[in-house]
PDB file of all heavy atoms in Angstrom:
ATOM      1  N   ASP C  23     -89.674-122.149 -23.835  1.00 96.00           N
ATOM      2  CA  ASP C  23     -89.442-121.029 -22.848  1.00 96.00           C
ATOM      3  C   ASP C  23     -90.430-121.092 -21.691  1.00 96.00           C
ATOM      4  O   ASP C  23     -90.260-120.301 -20.777  1.00 96.00           O
ATOM      5  CB  ASP C  23     -89.564-119.676 -23.579  1.00 96.00           C
ATOM      6  CG  ASP C  23     -88.528-119.488 -24.624  1.00 96.00           C
ATOM      7  OD1 ASP C  23     -87.396-120.028 -24.474  1.00 96.00           O
ATOM      8  OD2 ASP C  23     -88.837-118.804 -25.673  1.00 96.00           O
ATOM      9  N   ALA C  24     -91.350-122.040 -21.691  1.00 96.00           N
ATOM     10  CA  ALA C  24     -92.326-122.078 -20.629  1.00 96.00           C
ATOM     11  C   ALA C  24     -91.804-122.670 -19.333  1.00 96.00           C
ATOM     12  O   ALA C  24     -90.878-123.485 -19.372  1.00 96.00           O
ATOM     13  CB  ALA C  24     -93.545-122.898 -21.083  1.00 96.00           C
ATOM     14  N   ALA C  25     -92.332-122.208 -18.246  1.00 96.00           N
ATOM     15  CA  ALA C  25     -91.927-122.803 -16.988  1.00 96.00           C
ATOM     16  C   ALA C  25     -92.241-124.259 -16.883  1.00 96.00           C
ATOM     17  O   ALA C  25     -93.308-124.699 -17.255  1.00 96.00           O
ATOM     18  CB  ALA C  25     -92.649-122.014 -15.814  1.00 96.00           C
ATOM     19  N   GLY C  26     -91.228-125.043 -16.461  1.00 95.00           N
ATOM     20  CA  GLY C  26     -91.492-126.465 -16.355  1.00 95.00           C
ATOM     21  C   GLY C  26     -91.058-127.297 -17.523  1.00 95.00           C
ATOM     22  O   GLY C  26     -91.063-128.495 -17.434  1.00 95.00           O
ATOM     23  N   PHE C  27     -90.686-126.621 -18.614  1.00 97.00           N
ATOM     24  CA  PHE C  27     -90.393-127.413 -19.849  1.00 97.00           C
ATOM     25  C   PHE C  27     -89.100-128.163 -19.685  1.00 97.00           C
ATOM     26  O   PHE C  27     -89.044-129.401 -20.057  1.00 97.00           O
ATOM     27  CB  PHE C  27     -90.264-126.446 -21.072  1.00 97.00           C
ATOM     28  CG  PHE C  27     -89.747-127.215 -22.286  1.00 97.00           C
ATOM     29  CD1 PHE C  27     -90.646-127.948 -23.007  1.00 97.00           C
ATOM     30  CD2 PHE C  27     -88.432-127.094 -22.683  1.00 97.00           C
ATOM     31  CE1 PHE C  27     -90.191-128.640 -24.132  1.00 97.00           C
ATOM     32  CE2 PHE C  27     -87.979-127.776 -23.813  1.00 97.00           C
ATOM     33  CZ  PHE C  27     -88.839-128.574 -24.520  1.00 97.00           C
ATOM     34  N   THR C  28     -88.082-127.595 -19.064  1.00 96.00           N
ATOM     35  CA  THR C  28     -86.816-128.279 -18.908  1.00 96.00           C
ATOM     36  C   THR C  28     -86.998-129.545 -18.063  1.00 96.00           C
ATOM     37  O   THR C  28     -86.486-130.632 -18.338  1.00 96.00           O
ATOM     38  CB  THR C  28     -85.797-127.383 -18.282  1.00 96.00           C
ATOM     39  OG1 THR C  28     -85.583-126.206 -19.090  1.00 96.00           O
ATOM     40  CG2 THR C  28     -84.443-128.133 -18.115  1.00 96.00           C
ATOM     41  N   GLU C  29     -87.833-129.462 -16.986  1.00 97.00           N
ATOM     42  CA  GLU C  29     -88.056-130.587 -16.083  1.00 97.00           C
ATOM     43  C   GLU C  29     -88.834-131.685 -16.793  1.00 97.00           C
ATOM     44  O   GLU C  29     -88.487-132.886 -16.680  1.00 97.00           O
ATOM     45  CB  GLU C  29     -88.796-130.149 -14.849  1.00 97.00           C
ATOM     46  CG  GLU C  29     -87.999-129.256 -13.923  1.00 97.00           C
ATOM     47  CD  GLU C  29     -87.976-127.748 -14.389  1.00 97.00           C
ATOM     48  OE1 GLU C  29     -88.587-127.419 -15.432  1.00 97.00           O
ATOM     49  OE2 GLU C  29     -87.271-126.978 -13.712  1.00 97.00           O
ATOM     50  N   VAL C  30     -89.869-131.359 -17.598  1.00 97.00           N
ATOM     51  CA  VAL C  30     -90.619-132.381 -18.230  1.00 97.00           C
ATOM     52  C   VAL C  30     -89.864-133.024 -19.352  1.00 97.00           C
ATOM     53  O   VAL C  30     -90.012-134.212 -19.638  1.00 97.00           O
ATOM     54  CB  VAL C  30     -92.022-131.851 -18.721  1.00 97.00           C
ATOM     55  CG1 VAL C  30     -91.920-131.010 -19.952  1.00 97.00           C
ATOM     56  CG2 VAL C  30     -92.993-133.002 -18.926  1.00 97.00           C
ATOM     57  N   GLU C  31     -89.033-132.243 -20.025  1.00 97.00           N
ATOM     58  CA  GLU C  31     -88.161-132.797 -21.026  1.00 97.00           C
ATOM     59  C   GLU C  31     -87.225-133.858 -20.454  1.00 97.00           C
ATOM     60  O   GLU C  31     -87.064-134.886 -21.015  1.00 97.00           O
ATOM     61  CB  GLU C  31     -87.370-131.678 -21.717  1.00 97.00           C
ATOM     62  CG  GLU C  31     -86.464-132.182 -22.894  1.00 97.00           C
ATOM     63  CD  GLU C  31     -85.672-131.017 -23.502  1.00 97.00           C
ATOM     64  OE1 GLU C  31     -85.300-130.084 -22.758  1.00 97.00           O
ATOM     65  OE2 GLU C  31     -85.427-131.051 -24.696  1.00 97.00           O
ATOM     66  N   ALA C  32     -86.715-133.612 -19.254  1.00 97.00           N
ATOM     67  CA  ALA C  32     -85.796-134.530 -18.573  1.00 97.00           C
ATOM     68  C   ALA C  32     -86.644-135.789 -18.198  1.00 97.00           C
ATOM     69  O   ALA C  32     -86.126-136.873 -18.287  1.00 97.00           O
ATOM     70  CB  ALA C  32     -85.134-133.926 -17.372  1.00 97.00           C
ATOM     71  N   ALA C  33     -87.841-135.572 -17.726  1.00 96.00           N
ATOM     72  CA  ALA C  33     -88.651-136.696 -17.265  1.00 96.00           C
ATOM     73  C   ALA C  33     -89.048-137.655 -18.423  1.00 96.00           C
ATOM     74  O   ALA C  33     -89.056-138.840 -18.217  1.00 96.00           O
ATOM     75  CB  ALA C  33     -89.921-136.167 -16.594  1.00 96.00           C
ATOM     76  N   LEU C  34     -89.114-137.097 -19.637  1.00 96.00           N
ATOM     77  CA  LEU C  34     -89.419-137.917 -20.797  1.00 96.00           C
ATOM     78  C   LEU C  34     -88.157-138.593 -21.367  1.00 96.00           C
ATOM     79  O   LEU C  34     -88.245-139.431 -22.307  1.00 96.00           O
ATOM     80  CB  LEU C  34     -90.096-137.102 -21.858  1.00 96.00           C
ATOM     81  CG  LEU C  34     -91.567-136.697 -21.551  1.00 96.00           C
ATOM     82  CD1 LEU C  34     -92.106-135.705 -22.536  1.00 96.00           C
ATOM     83  CD2 LEU C  34     -92.450-137.982 -21.588  1.00 96.00           C
ATOM     84  N   ALA C  35     -87.006-138.268 -20.828  1.00 93.00           N
ATOM     85  CA  ALA C  35     -85.760-138.972 -21.026  1.00 93.00           C
ATOM     86  C   ALA C  35     -85.474-139.239 -22.493  1.00 93.00           C
ATOM     87  O   ALA C  35     -85.295-140.366 -22.939  1.00 93.00           O
ATOM     88  CB  ALA C  35     -85.763-140.320 -20.266  1.00 93.00           C
ATOM     89  N   GLY C  36     -85.337-138.135 -23.273  1.00 94.00           N
ATOM     90  CA  GLY C  36     -84.961-138.273 -24.717  1.00 94.00           C
ATOM     91  C   GLY C  36     -86.096-138.641 -25.647  1.00 94.00           C
ATOM     92  O   GLY C  36     -85.865-138.778 -26.837  1.00 94.00           O
ATOM     93  N   ARG C  37     -87.330-138.750 -25.154  1.00 96.00           N
ATOM     94  CA  ARG C  37     -88.419-139.143 -26.009  1.00 96.00           C
ATOM     95  C   ARG C  37     -89.271-137.947 -26.465  1.00 96.00           C
ATOM     96  O   ARG C  37     -90.247-138.081 -27.168  1.00 96.00           O
ATOM     97  CB  ARG C  37     -89.366-140.147 -25.219  1.00 96.00           C
ATOM     98  CG  ARG C  37     -88.710-141.478 -25.080  1.00 96.00           C
ATOM     99  CD  ARG C  37     -89.584-142.402 -24.177  1.00 96.00           C
ATOM    100  NE  ARG C  37     -89.399-142.011 -22.793  1.00 96.00           N
ATOM    101  CZ  ARG C  37     -89.968-142.647 -21.784  1.00 96.00           C
ATOM    102  NH1 ARG C  37     -90.857-143.620 -21.995  1.00 96.00           N
ATOM    103  NH2 ARG C  37     -89.750-142.254 -20.551  1.00 96.00           N
ATOM    104  N   LEU C  38     -88.867-136.685 -26.168  1.00 97.00           N
ATOM    105  CA  LEU C  38     -89.548-135.557 -26.628  1.00 97.00           C
ATOM    106  C   LEU C  38     -88.893-134.946 -27.866  1.00 97.00           C
ATOM    107  O   LEU C  38     -87.688-134.726 -27.824  1.00 97.00           O
ATOM    108  CB  LEU C  38     -89.580-134.470 -25.508  1.00 97.00           C
ATOM    109  CG  LEU C  38     -90.252-133.145 -25.879  1.00 97.00           C
ATOM    110  CD1 LEU C  38     -91.699-133.334 -26.275  1.00 97.00           C
ATOM    111  CD2 LEU C  38     -90.173-132.159 -24.739  1.00 97.00           C
ATOM    112  N   ARG C  39     -89.635-134.794 -28.898  1.00 97.00           N
ATOM    113  CA  ARG C  39     -89.162-134.201 -30.157  1.00 97.00           C
ATOM    114  C   ARG C  39     -89.980-132.942 -30.413  1.00 97.00           C
ATOM    115  O   ARG C  39     -91.149-132.963 -30.732  1.00 97.00           O
ATOM    116  CB  ARG C  39     -89.374-135.173 -31.299  1.00 97.00           C
ATOM    117  CG  ARG C  39     -88.769-134.757 -32.652  1.00 97.00           C
ATOM    118  CD  ARG C  39     -88.883-135.779 -33.723  1.00 97.00           C
ATOM    119  NE  ARG C  39     -88.327-135.365 -34.937  1.00 97.00           N
ATOM    120  CZ  ARG C  39     -86.984-135.412 -35.278  1.00 97.00           C
ATOM    121  NH1 ARG C  39     -86.204-135.980 -34.396  1.00 97.00           N
ATOM    122  NH2 ARG C  39     -86.532-135.021 -36.415  1.00 97.00           N
ATOM    123  N   LEU C  40     -89.340-131.823 -30.240  1.00 97.00           N
ATOM    124  CA  LEU C  40     -89.940-130.477 -30.387  1.00 97.00           C
ATOM    125  C   LEU C  40     -89.578-129.880 -31.757  1.00 97.00           C
ATOM    126  O   LEU C  40     -88.428-129.723 -32.084  1.00 97.00           O
ATOM    127  CB  LEU C  40     -89.516-129.583 -29.242  1.00 97.00           C
ATOM    128  CG  LEU C  40     -89.984-128.141 -29.326  1.00 97.00           C
ATOM    129  CD1 LEU C  40     -91.521-128.101 -29.124  1.00 97.00           C
ATOM    130  CD2 LEU C  40     -89.349-127.231 -28.239  1.00 97.00           C
ATOM    131  N   VAL C  41     -90.567-129.597 -32.594  1.00 96.00           N
ATOM    132  CA  VAL C  41     -90.327-128.973 -33.893  1.00 96.00           C
ATOM    133  C   VAL C  41     -91.086-127.641 -33.892  1.00 96.00           C
ATOM    134  O   VAL C  41     -92.184-127.521 -33.337  1.00 96.00           O
ATOM    135  CB  VAL C  41     -90.791-129.901 -35.013  1.00 96.00           C
ATOM    136  CG1 VAL C  41     -89.916-131.111 -35.127  1.00 96.00           C
ATOM    137  CG2 VAL C  41     -92.216-130.278 -34.904  1.00 96.00           C
ATOM    138  N   GLU C  42     -90.484-126.656 -34.514  1.00 95.00           N
ATOM    139  CA  GLU C  42     -91.074-125.327 -34.574  1.00 95.00           C
ATOM    140  C   GLU C  42     -91.295-124.968 -36.015  1.00 95.00           C
ATOM    141  O   GLU C  42     -90.402-125.196 -36.859  1.00 95.00           O
ATOM    142  CB  GLU C  42     -90.180-124.319 -33.886  1.00 95.00           C
ATOM    143  CG  GLU C  42     -89.996-124.582 -32.353  1.00 95.00           C
ATOM    144  CD  GLU C  42     -89.119-123.596 -31.704  1.00 95.00           C
ATOM    145  OE1 GLU C  42     -88.454-122.807 -32.433  1.00 95.00           O
ATOM    146  OE2 GLU C  42     -89.039-123.605 -30.429  1.00 95.00           O
ATOM    147  N   GLN C  43     -92.467-124.359 -36.327  1.00 94.00           N
ATOM    148  CA  GLN C  43     -92.772-123.951 -37.696  1.00 94.00           C
ATOM    149  C   GLN C  43     -93.748-122.802 -37.646  1.00 94.00           C
ATOM    150  O   GLN C  43     -94.253-122.460 -36.566  1.00 94.00           O
ATOM    151  CB  GLN C  43     -93.380-125.156 -38.442  1.00 94.00           C
ATOM    152  CG  GLN C  43     -94.692-125.627 -37.970  1.00 94.00           C
ATOM    153  CD  GLN C  43     -95.197-126.831 -38.718  1.00 94.00           C
ATOM    154  OE1 GLN C  43     -94.458-127.683 -39.259  1.00 94.00           O
ATOM    155  NE2 GLN C  43     -96.541-126.939 -38.801  1.00 94.00           N
ATOM    156  N   GLY C  44     -93.995-122.211 -38.777  1.00 93.00           N
ATOM    157  CA  GLY C  44     -95.034-121.167 -38.833  1.00 93.00           C
ATOM    158  C   GLY C  44     -96.423-121.729 -38.587  1.00 93.00           C
ATOM    159  O   GLY C  44     -96.603-122.970 -38.648  1.00 93.00           O
ATOM    160  N   ASN C  45     -97.343-120.834 -38.448  1.00 94.00           N
ATOM    161  CA  ASN C  45     -98.708-121.283 -38.057  1.00 94.00           C
ATOM    162  C   ASN C  45     -99.404-121.831 -39.328  1.00 94.00           C
ATOM    163  O   ASN C  45     -99.876-121.045 -40.157  1.00 94.00           O
ATOM    164  CB  ASN C  45     -99.510-120.146 -37.494  1.00 94.00           C
ATOM    165  CG  ASN C  45    -100.883-120.567 -36.947  1.00 94.00           C
ATOM    166  OD1 ASN C  45    -101.097-121.774 -36.793  1.00 94.00           O
ATOM    167  ND2 ASN C  45    -101.713-119.653 -36.700  1.00 94.00           N
ATOM    168  N   LEU C  46     -99.598-123.148 -39.421  1.00 96.00           N
ATOM    169  CA  LEU C  46    -100.327-123.808 -40.486  1.00 96.00           C
ATOM    170  C   LEU C  46    -101.602-124.402 -39.947  1.00 96.00           C
ATOM    171  O   LEU C  46    -102.220-125.239 -40.653  1.00 96.00           O
ATOM    172  CB  LEU C  46     -99.440-124.869 -41.115  1.00 96.00           C
ATOM    173  CG  LEU C  46     -98.075-124.455 -41.717  1.00 96.00           C
ATOM    174  CD1 LEU C  46     -97.321-125.666 -42.286  1.00 96.00           C
ATOM    175  CD2 LEU C  46     -98.301-123.378 -42.753  1.00 96.00           C
ATOM    176  N   GLY C  47    -102.088-123.934 -38.800  1.00 95.00           N
ATOM    177  CA  GLY C  47    -103.340-124.433 -38.238  1.00 95.00           C
ATOM    178  C   GLY C  47    -103.264-125.837 -37.696  1.00 95.00           C
ATOM    179  O   GLY C  47    -102.207-126.408 -37.696  1.00 95.00           O
ATOM    180  N   GLY C  48    -104.401-126.304 -37.280  1.00 95.00           N
ATOM    181  CA  GLY C  48    -104.473-127.646 -36.763  1.00 95.00           C
ATOM    182  C   GLY C  48    -104.072-128.701 -37.829  1.00 95.00           C
ATOM    183  O   GLY C  48    -103.379-129.648 -37.484  1.00 95.00           O
ATOM    184  N   SER C  49    -104.515-128.496 -39.034  1.00 97.00           N
ATOM    185  CA  SER C  49    -104.212-129.452 -40.096  1.00 97.00           C
ATOM    186  C   SER C  49    -102.732-129.511 -40.349  1.00 97.00           C
ATOM    187  O   SER C  49    -102.167-130.618 -40.490  1.00 97.00           O
ATOM    188  CB  SER C  49    -104.974-129.184 -41.390  1.00 97.00           C
ATOM    189  OG  SER C  49    -104.529-128.021 -42.029  1.00 97.00           O
ATOM    190  N   GLY C  50    -102.049-128.423 -40.337  1.00 97.00           N
ATOM    191  CA  GLY C  50    -100.621-128.372 -40.530  1.00 97.00           C
ATOM    192  C   GLY C  50     -99.815-128.818 -39.341  1.00 97.00           C
ATOM    193  O   GLY C  50     -98.785-129.499 -39.516  1.00 97.00           O
ATOM    194  N   GLY C  51    -100.329-128.463 -38.163  1.00 97.00           N
ATOM    195  CA  GLY C  51     -99.587-128.926 -36.952  1.00 97.00           C
ATOM    196  C   GLY C  51     -99.683-130.460 -36.738  1.00 97.00           C
ATOM    197  O   GLY C  51     -98.738-131.130 -36.473  1.00 97.00           O
ATOM    198  N   PHE C  52    -100.848-130.978 -36.843  1.00 98.00           N
ATOM    199  CA  PHE C  52    -101.035-132.390 -36.703  1.00 98.00           C
ATOM    200  C   PHE C  52    -100.376-133.190 -37.837  1.00 98.00           C
ATOM    201  O   PHE C  52     -99.799-134.311 -37.588  1.00 98.00           O
ATOM    202  CB  PHE C  52    -102.543-132.766 -36.542  1.00 98.00           C
ATOM    203  CG  PHE C  52    -103.080-132.476 -35.159  1.00 98.00           C
ATOM    204  CD1 PHE C  52    -104.211-131.648 -35.057  1.00 98.00           C
ATOM    205  CD2 PHE C  52    -102.497-133.004 -34.078  1.00 98.00           C
ATOM    206  CE1 PHE C  52    -104.728-131.377 -33.779  1.00 98.00           C
ATOM    207  CE2 PHE C  52    -102.976-132.783 -32.785  1.00 98.00           C
ATOM    208  CZ  PHE C  52    -104.111-131.898 -32.652  1.00 98.00           C
ATOM    209  N   SER C  53    -100.470-132.663 -39.025  1.00 98.00           N
ATOM    210  CA  SER C  53     -99.763-133.344 -40.127  1.00 98.00           C
ATOM    211  C   SER C  53     -98.231-133.331 -39.911  1.00 98.00           C
ATOM    212  O   SER C  53     -97.623-134.313 -40.268  1.00 98.00           O
ATOM    213  CB  SER C  53    -100.117-132.642 -41.472  1.00 98.00           C
ATOM    214  OG  SER C  53    -101.424-132.839 -41.813  1.00 98.00           O
ATOM    215  N   ARG C  54     -97.763-132.281 -39.290  1.00 98.00           N
ATOM    216  CA  ARG C  54     -96.309-132.321 -39.000  1.00 98.00           C
ATOM    217  C   ARG C  54     -95.941-133.422 -37.992  1.00 98.00           C
ATOM    218  O   ARG C  54     -94.965-134.071 -38.173  1.00 98.00           O
ATOM    219  CB  ARG C  54     -95.915-130.889 -38.457  1.00 98.00           C
ATOM    220  CG  ARG C  54     -94.397-130.837 -38.087  1.00 98.00           C
ATOM    221  CD  ARG C  54     -93.548-131.050 -39.358  1.00 98.00           C
ATOM    222  NE  ARG C  54     -92.117-131.017 -39.071  1.00 98.00           N
ATOM    223  CZ  ARG C  54     -91.342-129.927 -39.120  1.00 98.00           C
ATOM    224  NH1 ARG C  54     -91.878-128.750 -39.391  1.00 98.00           N
ATOM    225  NH2 ARG C  54     -90.036-130.028 -38.924  1.00 98.00           N
ATOM    226  N   THR C  55     -96.808-133.553 -36.986  1.00 98.00           N
ATOM    227  CA  THR C  55     -96.523-134.646 -35.992  1.00 98.00           C
ATOM    228  C   THR C  55     -96.631-136.002 -36.669  1.00 98.00           C
ATOM    229  O   THR C  55     -95.837-136.945 -36.389  1.00 98.00           O
ATOM    230  CB  THR C  55     -97.448-134.597 -34.817  1.00 98.00           C
ATOM    231  OG1 THR C  55     -98.784-135.031 -35.144  1.00 98.00           O
ATOM    232  CG2 THR C  55     -97.512-133.224 -34.178  1.00 98.00           C
ATOM    233  N   MET C  56     -97.607-136.184 -37.640  1.00 98.00           N
ATOM    234  CA  MET C  56     -97.679-137.423 -38.393  1.00 98.00           C
ATOM    235  C   MET C  56     -96.406-137.674 -39.202  1.00 98.00           C
ATOM    236  O   MET C  56     -95.836-138.781 -39.228  1.00 98.00           O
ATOM    237  CB  MET C  56     -98.859-137.407 -39.341  1.00 98.00           C
ATOM    238  CG  MET C  56    -100.190-137.433 -38.652  1.00 98.00           C
ATOM    239  SD  MET C  56    -101.542-137.251 -39.930  1.00 98.00           S
ATOM    240  CE  MET C  56    -102.984-137.731 -38.986  1.00 98.00           C
ATOM    241  N   TYR C  57     -95.942-136.585 -39.839  1.00 98.00           N
ATOM    242  CA  TYR C  57     -94.700-136.709 -40.658  1.00 98.00           C
ATOM    243  C   TYR C  57     -93.532-137.116 -39.796  1.00 98.00           C
ATOM    244  O   TYR C  57     -92.708-137.976 -40.165  1.00 98.00           O
ATOM    245  CB  TYR C  57     -94.479-135.342 -41.361  1.00 98.00           C
ATOM    246  CG  TYR C  57     -93.240-135.354 -42.244  1.00 98.00           C
ATOM    247  CD1 TYR C  57     -93.343-135.870 -43.504  1.00 98.00           C
ATOM    248  CD2 TYR C  57     -92.029-134.887 -41.773  1.00 98.00           C
ATOM    249  CE1 TYR C  57     -92.116-135.865 -44.355  1.00 98.00           C
ATOM    250  CE2 TYR C  57     -90.863-134.874 -42.557  1.00 98.00           C
ATOM    251  CZ  TYR C  57     -90.965-135.396 -43.861  1.00 98.00           C
ATOM    252  OH  TYR C  57     -89.832-135.425 -44.636  1.00 98.00           O
ATOM    253  N   GLU C  58     -93.400-136.495 -38.665  1.00 98.00           N
ATOM    254  CA  GLU C  58     -92.246-136.784 -37.792  1.00 98.00           C
ATOM    255  C   GLU C  58     -92.359-138.240 -37.288  1.00 98.00           C
ATOM    256  O   GLU C  58     -91.319-138.932 -37.185  1.00 98.00           O
ATOM    257  CB  GLU C  58     -92.207-135.847 -36.589  1.00 98.00           C
ATOM    258  CG  GLU C  58     -91.936-134.352 -36.994  1.00 98.00           C
ATOM    259  CD  GLU C  58     -90.601-134.153 -37.636  1.00 98.00           C
ATOM    260  OE1 GLU C  58     -89.648-134.799 -37.154  1.00 98.00           O
ATOM    261  OE2 GLU C  58     -90.470-133.302 -38.519  1.00 98.00           O
ATOM    262  N   SER C  59     -93.544-138.690 -36.969  1.00 98.00           N
ATOM    263  CA  SER C  59     -93.729-140.066 -36.530  1.00 98.00           C
ATOM    264  C   SER C  59     -93.342-141.040 -37.577  1.00 98.00           C
ATOM    265  O   SER C  59     -92.688-142.056 -37.312  1.00 98.00           O
ATOM    266  CB  SER C  59     -95.217-140.242 -36.073  1.00 98.00           C
ATOM    267  OG  SER C  59     -95.390-141.601 -35.623  1.00 98.00           O
ATOM    268  N   LEU C  60     -93.776-140.813 -38.814  1.00 97.00           N
ATOM    269  CA  LEU C  60     -93.473-141.727 -39.898  1.00 97.00           C
ATOM    270  C   LEU C  60     -91.970-141.723 -40.246  1.00 97.00           C
ATOM    271  O   LEU C  60     -91.425-142.778 -40.550  1.00 97.00           O
ATOM    272  CB  LEU C  60     -94.249-141.337 -41.175  1.00 97.00           C
ATOM    273  CG  LEU C  60     -95.783-141.733 -41.240  1.00 97.00           C
ATOM    274  CD1 LEU C  60     -96.286-141.439 -42.596  1.00 97.00           C
ATOM    275  CD2 LEU C  60     -95.959-143.210 -40.900  1.00 97.00           C
ATOM    276  N   THR C  61     -91.362-140.573 -40.213  1.00 97.00           N
ATOM    277  CA  THR C  61     -89.993-140.484 -40.740  1.00 97.00           C
ATOM    278  C   THR C  61     -88.963-140.624 -39.669  1.00 97.00           C
ATOM    279  O   THR C  61     -87.773-140.941 -39.980  1.00 97.00           O
ATOM    280  CB  THR C  61     -89.801-139.145 -41.464  1.00 97.00           C
ATOM    281  OG1 THR C  61     -90.054-138.041 -40.535  1.00 97.00           O
ATOM    282  CG2 THR C  61     -90.675-139.048 -42.681  1.00 97.00           C
TER     283      THR C  61
END
């Protein structure tokens, strides 16, 4: 919902993967990005 998100999503041309989850802190957030990268 942030200003500029639509434009930067287009600039990354399909390479942006946005996932939403509850707050699991830095360890949970970074682990989620690791999981998405691996899978």
Side-chain angles (χ1 to χ4, degrees):
D23 297 329
F27 174 77
T28 302
E29 292 79 3
V30 76
E31 183 181 32
L34 287 169
R37 287 172 286 180
L38 177 60
R39 184 176 182 84
L40 178 64
V41 293
E42 296 177 352
Q43 63 183 31
N45 186 15
L46 302 179
S49 69
F52 282 125
S53 291
R54 180 62 183 268
T55 72
M56 290 176 167
Y57 181 82
E58 297 295 324
S59 179
L60 283 187
T61 58

